[in-house]
Amino acid sequence: QVQLVESGGGLVQPGESLRLSCVAHGIAFNRYTMGWYRQAPGKQRDLVATITSNGNTNYADSVKGRFTISRDNAKNTVYLQMDSLKPEDTAVYYCNGRYSVLQYWGQGTQVTVSS
């Protein structure tokens, strides 16, 4: 059974950092492009960052220079290091795994940035 399990969300103040983790079960993780998406209340789900099987990364303009995506294939885990957080980063963050026609989502983890 395929499962993507996110963790690491929480409530932080502006300027602080968080690291999200997503552990994948039931997939050939090293073949998958992994990504993070986010959805704020009343808005669509948007791309935050992706990392391919060979380590190429892509970021939304709004997070470039502040967020870093990485992966550890030995642990079937993808990370999102989020620095200099802003209130507009508040959203539910979803882990995504994609390979050919296959695509899977995690259940989401809430990130709230507020003073």
Side-chain angles (χ1 to χ4, degrees), residues 3-76:
Q3 274 190 307
L4 302 182
V5 182
E6 302 106 331
S7 62
L11 171 63
V12 295
Q13 295 189 349
E16 293 185 340
S17 299
L18 276 177
R19 189 176 82 154
L20 304 183
S21 300
C22 170
V23 181
H25 303 274
I27 63 172
F29 181 81
N30 61 340
R31 297 182 181 180
Y32 277 66
T33 290
M34 301 301 297
W36 290 95
Y37 291 72
R38 67 187 181 187
Q39 187 167 19
K43 295 189 176 182
Q44 67 181 18
R45 189 175 297 187
D46 291 327
L47 169 73
V48 176
T50 60
I51 183 167
T52 66
S53 57
N54 58 5
N56 292 327
T57 58
N58 180 55
Y59 296 92
D61 287 343
S62 59
V63 307
K64 282 181 181 176
R66 300 189 298 122
F67 291 10
T68 304
I69 189 170
S70 61
R71 65 191 296 160
D72 185 338
N73 288 341
K75 295 183 178 180
N76 282 12

